[in-house]
């Protein structure tokens, strides 16, 4: 693009500024190429003409679009240059408070000078396992990237942390090591990670100090290698140190401090263990008071010293060694306070003998006082020929003393580092390591000495390695994408490095000068000028001959030569060292003893070892200078870094005043230039810095496409065509395999085109909307005008209507007035006329009334006389007629009696009579009931009429009294009213007479009905007499049969039966007499009319048994009827005719049975008569036994009948007493007596029928025996008399045919009765179902009415509770059904075995019958059923089978093997075994089984510690076993819900409360393991499902991404990281829920598990939201709200909404709403404060700071709005942490849930292999 296209009006640019480095401006006029001036406008609207020249003043830098400002990665900026980088860092640091920013592969960390809550374990968890570009920039992201690449590429990693003093290098390195310690914790119990972290406080104490720039500045460099095993767990660590600043021990600048350890020890000097150190305040010692300020604000040295001691102890350093270290530190302080006095000559000096500090120094180090005093003031000179001692001046002695102090501290520092490395060493083999380099950054001060020279030399080496690595990554990216690339020119600082370390370089010349005896700093400077004056990186200052300038990559630095030689030599006198070697303390002597030098060999493999060699002997010490040692260690460090994959962290110091969140642009730019960040930007900008994947580019810029360009489905082709259209210069972009590469500024140009496109679209939309709004406004105005016109016209019309109305009203008023006046005059005249007429008519009426009274009296007399005469005549005629009728009826009755006696012999007649009697009784009863009801209704009508008449009479009387009081003088009206009253009284008399007449008629009808009942009773007695005759006939036949040859025993039985029958007849006579007495009482009682309604629930009861045999069920029907009478009460049962109908039905059934038996008896009699002449054999033993069996059975039946009869009589008496007590209603008593008499007669008839059935059965049995004998005789004579026995043979065949027909008839009757019974059962079932459905409908209607009155929230909660109750009941019903089916299955199996045995026995008997030739005998087949054993719900096992039991039930069992059985089957089986051990009182067996069970469960869970199904299975079984121990413990608290059988199964001998507690603890452990496993499964899915997946398609936007989304930093294995959708997460939760439900886990525990998982989802989602700027947008809020609603819907679908799981999602829901609401006005701030009650203030502010618009039409949240929110929320007492604790666990509660399962019915599948268990 040309300059004319870029520098147009409204384009924003950057121009240089002396104060702020760069200043923003805006072009106010288009610039044309060649113009000398660019017209600008500053942000304060100040105009500016910016000069532009081709050489001196190029065009200013262009600004990036606002949408790109604040990006996480600086390389994502379209325009890559210094002002863009500086502005982006400034905006992120000041407005968003983001201290971390990516710049390609570099993490830029700005020191906030304030504690920030972004380093907790929750943050580590959030960054663990995530790609570097997925989260916001953080030191943890760099550490995770290093850890991931180490595991993926199996290559060692390094993290290089550099920066100025006070920039935060040490803190960044510390947090990186904390991340590794947390993520890669040791696999065993060595706690190596804790030791690695414990080394930090020690190294800070002995190596950090306060400087003017930093309160905790590291005064040494260190490289910590953290070793990992093959499973990437920390197994050890090693530390290398570089260039300790020893000069700080003896000198500190103003407002600086010595090393922290000195001040910590002085602050703790008052402790008892430190009394021997003779320490006081740090102000009293020279080495700690030079800086004049011994305190640091906010730092407690005593507390830090305690942490240092704890770290020493954790690393394994003994207390004695710690005491020795502290003595050495204290001795250095005392050494600094030793006063050296100068002699007069000035050439010598001495130390006072009374110097306490010298004594303390010698005591603490254990050396000779005199020797140390001597050699502090003298030195030894050694020549080739002799050795002599020389005095030192005071200045030389002080320098020697300071050198000794520095040497002692350096040796102590090395000793501590060595022992820390020994504590961090490991014996196992190291697979890989990650190194963390915390080293000083580039330094330049006003006076720069040897330390700054070494520091800058090291930074030159690191910068060279950094440049080559960045260039290498760029090259790899281009080659991977297969795009052409040219060599990028970047700064190479190898010449500067050669100047320092090459042959005859600065270090070589320094070492050479140190070897010269008389070498000085000035001579060395001259050699430098001479040797390197021609070098481009070396300069000589103009005004100095003792300094030199080196042009480093960052800046020019002038070094002062003074002190270079002395610091390089690091001279310590040998005599002083020898005294220390002779110390009586072993540690002090070891510090200065010689050790073998460990030679370093360069090899391809880098070993973990210390970079700095241990202290050497004097000869070697003098050969190796400090510069040589530093160069060697630096080379070793570079070898290590080159063998690893580096990661860079550049720490920036924002200001020199240590102010929180204050940004000094000049200082920041200086450090950015020095640390190589701008060099990275320059390298990136030289190539193609902006990179887009094809899908992202298409999604972002498809708005620039035409409709014709969208036809192709190939997105690459579409993107290629679009770019060729938009960007004319082909060199501005390149197409790679997966990405499009753009030159700097091209993305900004595309964003401009996109914004223009949107702007034009917005203008079109605005134009259309505004037109529509104007049209709407016009319509409103037109409508308003029409409305006003309509209302005006209406007002005028109403005024005219009011005028007309008033005129008509005046006319009406005049008319009414005239009418009233004339009407009053008329009424006065009329009143006078009426009064005269009334008096006249009254006089005539009284005369007529007197005449009427006389006539009426005469008529009454005549009527009475005539009536008496007619009644006398009627009585005479009736008496004569009665006499005649009696004679005639007596004659006719005698004839009928003879005829009835003849007819009574036939059974059919008896049946007809009985049928007629029953029907007549029923008809009469019904007729009586109808008449009684009719009478009651008439009586009630009469009562109503009487009441109404009485009320009318009272009303008339009252009116009469009122009229009398008002018009006392008007006698005519009073007369008329009295006449009306008389008339009403006459009507009342007539009504009462009519009522009496109706009562008389009703009484007459009642007498007639009673007479009819008496007649029916007489007929019944006649029928009974006929029945007796029939019985006599049967007895005569039996006698004749006995006389023909029956046995004596049978005759006795028949006699006994007759006797019993006679007794029953007597009983019947007695009861009949009692019935007559009751009937007479009934006639005497007075009948009172009334109406009583039968309850609707009284229905006719049918017999439960339809079999025609005599059994207890038949008697039970009568008992049921009487019991129903007792239950319903006398009043209800007395009016229920159904009881009597039921008894009549039983009588009919017994009558049918009697007829059938009578027919059989007749047939037997005929057969016996035909065979009477034949000889009879005596009964056999079998026949005798059968007869005895029948007699016994009859006796049993008689006994049972008598017992039932007695019970019935007792019940009758109780009912009679109740009825007699209730004397409130005579009608009730009468009805009850009538019903009771009918019930008695029916029961007596039933008893008689039963006796007859028994007699007939006995006769049938005897006839069958005789027939059998006849058959046997016939068979014997069959062969001899074949020709003569044809007739008997025919009879035999006929008898067999008769038997066959009888059996067929019985079978048909049985089938018919069965079908009838089934039909009745089905009908009853249908009625029952109808009633149940009706009740269900009523209940649902009540619930519906109740829910309609509730609020919506309460309605939802109530519906959920109802659904839970329904599901729980269904579940219990299903469980009961399963148990019943299992029980039926076992019974069927047992019956099958019994039937198999029967079949075998039958086959054997048939075979025996076929082979046997003996005569067949009459035998009765008896089915012997095996009684099912009653189990006690216990399982017995042998002690030696305990291991097999646990192995089968716990160790080897899988949940799917028992999925089809009862849930928690292993728990039930184990408890049944425990019950048996308790039953036999074997305490050892109980203890062994429970202990082994608990241990086995623990082993199984430890083995399957990542198996959710197994963990859920054993959680369910463990909790069920715990519930069983409680349920059957015998405690009343746990027995409230038990059945009686379950209470019988309680433990008898042992109290297992302690084991219940152990099982409770085990259940909690399993629950925690279950939560851990479930969270481990869903945690990788949460972020992708909740924040990244597009649940609502095409809603999320795409923004330009930086380097972090390149393929080189992504996990490319298997196509990249796994992407989960919301459906996958919900599906996984559904699997968890289904698994727990199938295993029978208590619903309360399932709800708690789901609640914990939802808390994890909320915490992880919210934490990632708070740590990711790219997801804090409006579209993400919409996606997140949809996702949470889906999660809530899943809870409702699974009835888990009441588990409080939905409440745990409240914070993430509020965060989603916060992303969606408006964030502009004060009202919006108030709404946000009230809305986000579940978020802390820090979280709300963080989300607002992170909020990122996806296009230019969205606005950022202003800083003032965020400050407003903070002010409103400052009163909240929120916790200090920013992130949600993902490890928070809700307290778990295991509610007691007893089991409804009966242990004795438990079915154990055979597949389990528990055959050795014995059911008890």
């Amino acid at each position: 693009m040309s300059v004319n296209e870029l520098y147009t009006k409204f384009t924003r640019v950057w121009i240089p500024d002396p104060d702020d480095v760069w200043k923003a401006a805006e072009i106010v006029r288009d610039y044309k190429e060649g113009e000398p001036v660019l017209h600008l406008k500053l942000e304060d609207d100040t105009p500016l003409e910016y000069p532009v020249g081709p050489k001196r003043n190029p065009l200013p830098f262009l600004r990036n679009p606002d949408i790109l400002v604040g990006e996480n990665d600086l390389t994502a900026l379209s325009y890559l240059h210094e002002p863009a980088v500086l502005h982006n860092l400034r905006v992120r640091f000041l407005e968003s408070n983001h201290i971390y920013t990516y710049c390609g592969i570099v993490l830029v960390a700005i020191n906030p000078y304030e504690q920030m809550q972004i380093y907790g374990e929750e943050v580590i968890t959030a960054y663990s396992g995530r790609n570097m570009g997925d989260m916001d920039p953080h030191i943890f992201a760099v550490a995770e990237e290093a850890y991931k690449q180490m595991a993926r590429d199996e290559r060692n990693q390094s993290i290089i942390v550099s920066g100025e003093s006070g920039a935060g290098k040490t803190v960044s390195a510390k947090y990186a090591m904390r991340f590794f310690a947390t993520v890669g914790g040791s696999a065993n119990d060595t706690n190596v990670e804790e030791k690695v972290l414990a080394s930090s406080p020690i190294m800070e104490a002995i190596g950090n100090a306060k400087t003017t720039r930093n309160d905790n500045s590291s005064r040494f460099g260190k490289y910590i290698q953290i070793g990992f095993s093959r499973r990437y767990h920390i197994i050890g660590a090693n530390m290398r140190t570089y260039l300790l600043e020893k000069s700080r021990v003896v000198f500190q600048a103003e407002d600086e401090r010595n090393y922290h350890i000195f001040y910590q020890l002085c602050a703790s000097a008052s402790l008892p263990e430190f009394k021997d150190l003779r320490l006081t305040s740090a102000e009293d010692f020279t080495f700690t008071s030079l800086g004049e300020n011994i305190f640091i604000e906010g730092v407690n040295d005593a507390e830090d010293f305690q942490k240092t001691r704890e770290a020493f102890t954790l690393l394994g350093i003994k207390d004695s060694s710690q005491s020795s270290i502290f003595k050495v530190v204290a001795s250095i302080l005392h050494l600094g306070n030793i006063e050296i006095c100068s002699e007069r000559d000035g050439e010598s000096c001495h130390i006072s003998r009374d110097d306490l500090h010298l004594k303390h120094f010698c005591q603490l180090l254990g050396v000779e006082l005199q020797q140390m005093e001597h050699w502090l003031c003298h030195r030894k000179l050694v020549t080739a020929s002799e050795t002599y001692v020389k005095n030192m001046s005071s200045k030389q002695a002080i320098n020697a003393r300071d050198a000794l102090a520095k040497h002692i501290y350096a040796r102590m520092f090395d000793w501590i580092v060595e022992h820390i490395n020994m504590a961090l060493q490991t014996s196992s083999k190291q697979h890989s390591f990650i190194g963390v380099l915390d080293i000083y950054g580039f330094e330049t001060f006003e006076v720069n000495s040897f330390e700054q020279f070494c520091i800058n030399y090291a930074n030159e080496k690191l910068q060279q390695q950094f440049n080559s690595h960045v260039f290498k990554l760029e090259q790899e990216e281009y080659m991977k994408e297969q795009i052409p690339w040219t060599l990028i020119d970047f700064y190479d600082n190898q010449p500067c490095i050669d100047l320092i370390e090459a042959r005859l370089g600065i270090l070589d010349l320094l070492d050479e000068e140190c070897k010269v005896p008389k070498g000085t700093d000035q001579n060395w400077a001259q050699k430098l000028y001479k040797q390197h004056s021609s070098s481009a990186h070396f300069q000589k200052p103009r005004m100095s001959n003792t300094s030199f300038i080196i042009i480093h990559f960052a800046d020019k630095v002038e070094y002062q030569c003074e002190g270079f030689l002395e610091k390089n030599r690091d001279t310590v006198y040998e005599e002083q060292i020898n005294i220390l070697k002779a110390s009586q303390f072993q540690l002090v002597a070891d510090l200065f003893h010689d050790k073998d030098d460990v030679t370093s060999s360069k090899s391809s493999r880098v070993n973990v070892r210390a970079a700095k060699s241990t202290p050497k002997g004097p000869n070697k010490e003098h050969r190796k200078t400090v510069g040589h040692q530093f160069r060697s260690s630096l080379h070793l460090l570079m070898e290590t870094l080159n063998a690893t994959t580096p990661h860079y962290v550049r720490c920036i110091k924002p200001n020199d005043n240590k102010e929180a969140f204050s940004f000094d642009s000049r200082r920041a730019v200086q450090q950015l230039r020095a640390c190589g960040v701008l060099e990275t930007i320059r390298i990136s900008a030289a190539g193609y810095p902006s990179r887009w994947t094809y899908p992202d580019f298409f999604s972002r810029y498809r708005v620039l496409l035409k409709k014709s360009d969208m036809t192709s489905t190939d997105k690459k082709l579409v993107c290629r065509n679009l770019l060729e259209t938009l960007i004319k210069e082909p060199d501005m972009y390149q197409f790679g395999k997966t990405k499009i590469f753009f030159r700097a500024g091209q993305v900004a140009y595309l964003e401009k085109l996109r914004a223009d496109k949107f702007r034009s679209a917005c203008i079109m939309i605005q134009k259309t909307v505004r037109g529509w709004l104007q049209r709407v406004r016009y319509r409103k105005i037109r409508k308003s005008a029409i409305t006003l016109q309509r209302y005006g016209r209406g007002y005028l019309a109403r005024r005219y209507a009011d005028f007309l109305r008033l005129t008509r009203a005046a006319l009406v008023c005049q008319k009414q007035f005239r009418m009233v006046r004339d009407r009053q005059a008329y009424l006065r005249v009329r009143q006078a006329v009426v009064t005269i007429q009334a008096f006249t008519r009254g006089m005539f009426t009284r005369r007529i009334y007197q005449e009427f009274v006389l006539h009426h009296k005469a008529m009454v007399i005549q009527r009475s006389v005539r009536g008496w005469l007619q009644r006398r005549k009627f009585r005479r005629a009736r008496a004569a007629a009665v006499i005649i009728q009696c004679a005639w009826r007596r004659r006719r009755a005698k004839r009928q009696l003879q005829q009835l006696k003849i007819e009574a012999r036939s059974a059919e007649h008896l049946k007809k009579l009985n049928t007629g009697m029953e029907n007549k009784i029923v008809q009469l009863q019904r007729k009586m009931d109808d008449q009684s009801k009719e009478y009651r209704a008439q009586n009630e009508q009469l009562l109503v009429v009487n009441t109404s008449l009485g009320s009318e009479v009272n009303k008339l009387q009252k009116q009469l009294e009122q009229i009398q009081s008002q018009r006392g003088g008007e006698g005519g009206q009073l007369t008329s009213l009295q006449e009306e009253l008389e008339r009403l009284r006459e009507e009342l008399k007539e009504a009462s007479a009519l009522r009496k007449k109706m009562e008389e008629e009703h009484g007459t009808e009642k007498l007639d009905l009673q007479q009819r009942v008496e007649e029916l009773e007489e007929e019944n007695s006649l029928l009974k007499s006929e029945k007796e005759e029939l019985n006599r006939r049967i007895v005569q036949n039996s006698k004749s049969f006995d006389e023909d040859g029956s046995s004596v025993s049978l005759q006795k039985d028949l006699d006994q039966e007759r006797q019993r029958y006679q007794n029953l007849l007597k009983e019947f006579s007695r009861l009949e007499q009692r019935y007559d007495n009751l009937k007479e009482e009934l006639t005497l009682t007075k009948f009172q009319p009334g109406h009583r309604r039968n309850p609707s629930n009284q229905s006719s009861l049918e017999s439960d048994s339809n079999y025609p045999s005599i059994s207890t069920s038949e008697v039970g029907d009568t008992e049921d009827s009487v019991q129903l009478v007792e239950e319903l009460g006398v009043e209800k049962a007395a009016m229920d005719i159904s009881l009597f109908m039921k008894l009549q039905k039983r009588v009919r059934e017994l009558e049918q049975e009697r007829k059938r038996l009578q027919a059989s008896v007749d047939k037997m009699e005929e057969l016996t008569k035909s065979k009477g002449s034949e000889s009879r054999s005596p009964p056999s033993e079998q026949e005798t036994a059968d007869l005895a069996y029948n007699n016994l059975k009859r006796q049993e039946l008689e006994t049972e009948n008598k017992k039932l009869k007695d019970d019935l009589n007792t019940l009758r008496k109780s009912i009679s007493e109740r009825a007699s007590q209730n004397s409130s209603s005579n009608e009730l008593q009468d009805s009850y007596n009538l019903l009771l008499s009918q019930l008695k007669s029916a029961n007596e008839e039933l008893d008689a029928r039963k006796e007859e059935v028994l007699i007939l059965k006995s006769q049938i049995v005897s006839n069958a025996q005789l027939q059998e004998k006849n058959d046997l005789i016939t068979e014997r004579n069959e062969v001899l008399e074949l020709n003569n026995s044809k007739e008997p043979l025919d009879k035999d065949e006929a008898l067999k045919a008769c038997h066959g027909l009888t059996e067929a008839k019985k079978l048909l009757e049985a089938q018919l009765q069965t079908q009838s019974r089934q039909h009745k059962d089905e009908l009853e079932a249908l009625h029952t179902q109808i009633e149940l459905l009706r009740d269900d409908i009523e209940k649902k209607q009540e619930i519906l009415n109740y829910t309609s009155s509730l609020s919506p929230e309460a309605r939802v909660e109530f519906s959920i509770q109802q659904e839970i109750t329904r599901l729980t009941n269904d579940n219990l019903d299903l469980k009961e059904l399963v148990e019943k089916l299992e029980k039926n299955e076992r019974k069927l199996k047992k019956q099958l075995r019994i039937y198999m045995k029967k079949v075998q026995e039958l086959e054997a008997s048939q075979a025996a019958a076929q082979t046997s030739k003996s005569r067949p005998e009459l035998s009765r087949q008896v089915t012997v059923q095996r009684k099912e054993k009653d189990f006690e719900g216990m399982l017995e096992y042998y002690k030696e089978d305990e291991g097999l039991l646990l192995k089968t039930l716990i160790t080897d069992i899988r949940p799917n093997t028992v999925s089809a059985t009862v849930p928690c089957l292993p728990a039930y089986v184990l408890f049944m075994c425990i019950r048996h051990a308790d039953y036999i009182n074997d305490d050892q067996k109980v203890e062994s089984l429970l202990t082994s069970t608990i241990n086995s469960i623990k082993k199984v869970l430890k083995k399957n510690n990542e198996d959710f199904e197994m963990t859920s299975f054993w959680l369910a079984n463990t909790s069920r076993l715990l519930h069983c121990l409680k349920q059957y413990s015998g405690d009343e608290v746990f027995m409230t819900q038990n059945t009686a059988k379950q209470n019988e199964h309680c433990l008898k001998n042992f109290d297992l409360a302690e084991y219940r507690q152990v099982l409770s603890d085990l259940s909690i452990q399993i629950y925690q393991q279950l939560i851990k496993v479930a969270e481990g499964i869903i945690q990788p899915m949460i972020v992708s499902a909740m924040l990244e997946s597009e649940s609502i398609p095409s809603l999320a936007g795409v923004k330009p991404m930086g380097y972090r989304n390149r393929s080189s930093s992504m996990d490319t294995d298997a196509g990249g990281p796994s992407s989960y959708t919301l459906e996958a997460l919900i599906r996984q939760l559904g699997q968890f829920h289904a698994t727990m439900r199938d295993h029978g886990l208590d619903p309360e525990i399932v709800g708690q598990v789901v609640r914990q998982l939802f808390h994890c989802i909320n915490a992880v989602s919210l934490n990632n939201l708070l740590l990711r700027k790219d997801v804090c947008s409006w579209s993400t809020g919409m996606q997140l709200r949809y996702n949470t609603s889906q999660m809530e819907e899943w809870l409702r679908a699974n009835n888990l909404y009441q588990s409080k799981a939905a409440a745990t999602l409240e914070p993430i829901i509020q965060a989603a709403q916060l992303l969606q609401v408006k964030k502009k006005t004060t009202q919006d701030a108030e709404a946000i404060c009230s809305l986000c009650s579940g978020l802390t203030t820090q979280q709300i502010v963080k989300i607002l700071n992170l909020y990122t618009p996806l296009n230019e039409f969205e606005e950022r949240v202003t800083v003032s709005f965020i400050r407003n929110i903070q002010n409103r929320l400052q009163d909240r007492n929120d916790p200090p942490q920013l992130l949600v604790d993902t490890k928070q666990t809700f307290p778990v509660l295991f509610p007691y849930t007893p089991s409804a399962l009966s242990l004795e019915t438990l079915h154990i599948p055979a597949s389990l292999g528990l055959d050795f268990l014995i059911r008890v």
Side-chain angles (χ1 to χ4, degrees), residues 127-182:
Y127 276 90
S128 178
R130 305 292 297 176
N131 287 323
M132 198 167 183
D134 292 344
M135 309 289 288
D136 279 356
H138 202 285
I139 185 65
F140 291 158
V142 177
E144 171 62 24
E145 183 74 4
Y147 186 79
K148 187 187 298 182
Q149 289 190 13
M150 177 190 68
R152 183 184 62 202
D153 303 335
E154 294 189 354
R155 180 180 172 87
N156 299 326
Q157 308 289 314
S158 292
I159 298 177
I160 302 172
V161 185
S162 62
E164 282 191 9
S165 177
K169 301 185 302 297
T170 302
V171 176
S172 297
K174 187 195 306 182
Y175 285 135
M177 289 190 293
R178 180 187 294 178
F179 181 87
F180 295 135
T182 304

Side-chain angles (χ1 to χ4, degrees), residues 1044 1170-1176 1270 1273-1274 1288 1291:
D1044 292 338
S1170 63
K1171 297 180 180 180
S1173 59
E1174 297 178 358
S1175 61
R1176 304 182 182 277
N1270 294 330
I1273 295 170
T1274 305
K1291 290 181 179 181

Side-chain angles (χ1 to χ4, degrees), residues 1570-1585:
L1570 182 74
I1571 296 297
K1572 182 179 178 182
V1573 173
E1575 288 181 349
I1577 294 174
I1578 68 170
Q1579 203 157 16
M1581 309 169 66
I1582 295 174
V1583 177
S1584 179

Side-chain angles (χ1 to χ4, degrees), residues 1250-1309:
K1250 289 179 181 178
E1251 292 295 334
E1252 292 173 2
V1253 169
L1254 288 173
I1255 293 170
L1256 293 175
K1257 279 188 175 181
S1258 62
Q1259 292 177 356
I1260 289 171
V1261 171
S1262 61
N1263 291 333
Q1265 291 176 355
L1266 294 174
Q1267 183 63 34
E1268 182 66 22
K1269 293 177 182 178
N1270 294 330
D1271 292 341
L1272 293 174
I1273 295 170
T1274 305
E1275 288 176 3
R1276 290 177 181 176
N1277 299 328
E1278 185 176 3
V1279 179
L1280 299 174
E1281 300 177 356
L1282 183 60
N1283 297 325
N1284 299 325
S1285 61
K1286 291 180 180 180
E1287 186 177 354
L1289 184 60
D1290 294 336
K1291 290 181 179 181
D1292 187 26
E1293 292 178 354
L1295 185 61
K1296 289 182 179 180
C1298 180
H1299 279 297
L1301 292 174
T1302 305
E1303 293 297 330
K1305 181 181 178 183
K1306 289 181 180 180
L1307 181 61
L1308 291 174
E1309 289 178 354

